[in-house]
Amino acid sequence: MREKPASLQSGQPAVARLTLSRSRRRSLLLLALCAPKLLSAQEDRFQDPDGPLPTAAAVLAKHSANYGDLKGRSALLYSGTITGTGVAAGTRFERYVDTAGKYLQRTLAGTTEVTAEGWTGSAAFRIARGAKMSVSRAQGAALRERGLAFGGIHSPSVEASAKATEWSDFFKCVCVKLWIKLAPGNARSELYDPQSGQLKGIVRNGTDADGRKEDRLVVFIAYREFEGIKVPVDILETDGKSEWRLTVDQVLWNPPTPARLTAGGAR
């Protein structure tokens, strides 16, 4: 049995503690501690499960069955409220992803766009209050990555790269950790509940805009079914320096491609 790590701050929204893997546990606990307002303590211990590690193919097949039938669905627009670092009270967000790998996220004050960022399929962009901002190589890679996993569903080539690496105790779930190659030089770890196949979280080890090492963490805290498909509706995102909580309240399947993602639209 493993030692119980120091508890995270209690009395906040109930998200279980993070102790990822033997090799990454310590650094990612420090990452979790950088988001004390969003993480709370759990007092249970972790034990390695009995039996062999499931294959990546078996885990992803179960995930696909759990997620729902995506036949005829090639794009998703979901929106809701966002709170966290640098976000004004009352801010909403819109996030678009599709099977072609395009991605767009906007934050809005009422109906006014505050920020926008995305990947058009060939280029990354960032916009703040109508002004185009520079995009570093690291930022461009991160934006492209967000469009490569449509709602937790990957392309056949991406799924073929998946490898099950270890058991991980991740936010009160004894998960299977998969290493997935998204593009040349771009990979991440995804954590799945082996019983349900549900995607619980994503860990990306990379560099920030200044070339410094950073760990990015996404936790899918809760799911809700929309038209037969299970969509994350409570999402925690943090890079150890900043954190955001996204609460989804609207989902639209197969919406028109946003103008910012069409030719010349990312301005």
Side-chain angles (χ1 to χ4, degrees):
M1 185 174 291
R2 298 180 179 180
E3 293 182 1
K4 185 187 301 182
S7 295
L8 302 177
Q9 180 175 326
S10 60
Q12 303 296 334
V15 182
R17 64 179 176 82
L18 169 64
T19 42
L20 187 59
S21 66
R22 289 184 175 90
S23 59
R24 299 297 300 168
R25 178 171 63 177
R26 190 168 187 174
S27 63
L28 286 173
L29 270 172
L30 292 175
L31 173 62
L33 285 166
C34 292
K37 293 182 180 180
L38 299 177
L39 303 174
S40 62
Q42 295 290 331
E43 296 304 322
D44 53 310
R45 289 176 178 266
F46 171 74
Q47 296 183 26
D48 287 319
D50 296 326
L53 192 69
T55 66
V59 171
L60 291 174
K62 186 168 285 189
H63 168 68
S64 180
N66 173 274
Y67 193 81
D69 186 6
L70 283 169
K71 185 177 181 180
R73 304 175 194 266
S74 59
L76 170 65
L77 177 68
Y78 53 105
S79 59
T81 58
I82 180 170
T83 58
T85 307
V87 179
T91 299
R92 290 187 61 83
F93 78 95
E94 293 180 350
R95 183 175 289 182
Y96 171 94
V97 290
D98 65 24
T99 53
K102 293 181 179 179
Y103 161 79
L104 172 67
Q105 177 165 303
R106 303 195 306 150
T107 60
L108 305 160
T111 59
T112 302
E113 180 180 280
V114 179
T115 65
E117 64 177 24
W119 175 258
T120 65
S122 59
F125 63 90
R126 297 171 65 225
I127 296 167
R129 299 194 180 277
K132 192 171 183 179
M133 302 175 66
S134 62
V135 179
S136 70
R137 179 176 295 183
Q139 289 168 335
L143 290 172
R144 181 171 186 264
E145 175 190 323
R146 294 184 185 185
L148 285 170
F150 168 56
I153 305 300
H154 313 92
S155 69
S157 61
V158 168
E159 289 204 357
S161 75
K163 297 178 182 178
T165 60
E166 60 190 332
W167 294 106
S168 290
D169 182 18
F170 187 80
F171 286 85
K172 209 177 180 181
C173 170
V174 180
C175 290
V176 176
K177 180 180 177 182
L178 302 187
W179 178 91
I180 292 181
K181 181 178 180 181
L182 297 170
N186 189 358
R188 72 186 184 195
S189 295
E190 298 184 349
L191 295 111
Y192 291 84
D193 180 346
Q195 303 302 317
S196 68
Q198 194 171 81
L199 176 62
K200 293 294 187 179
I202 295 170
V203 177
R204 181 178 183 269
N205 308 124
T207 56
D208 63 14
D210 300 316
R212 294 173 299 193
K213 187 177 182 300
E214 69 174 359
D215 293 318
R216 287 187 173 273
L217 171 68
V218 180
V219 184
F220 301 113
I221 300 167
Y223 283 75
R224 184 174 142 204
E225 192 171 294
F226 291 86
E227 298 181 26
I229 310 296
K230 294 176 182 176
V231 177
V233 292
D234 189 359
I235 305 167
L236 165 67
E237 299 185 1
T238 179
D239 59 9
K241 296 171 289 188
S242 303
E243 67 268 359
W244 305 270
R245 191 73 170 264
L246 288 73
T247 304
V248 176
D249 53 36
Q250 295 180 16
V251 168
L252 179 63
W253 294 103
N254 293 341
T257 303
R260 288 207 181 279
L261 298 180
T262 60
R267 295 178 180 173

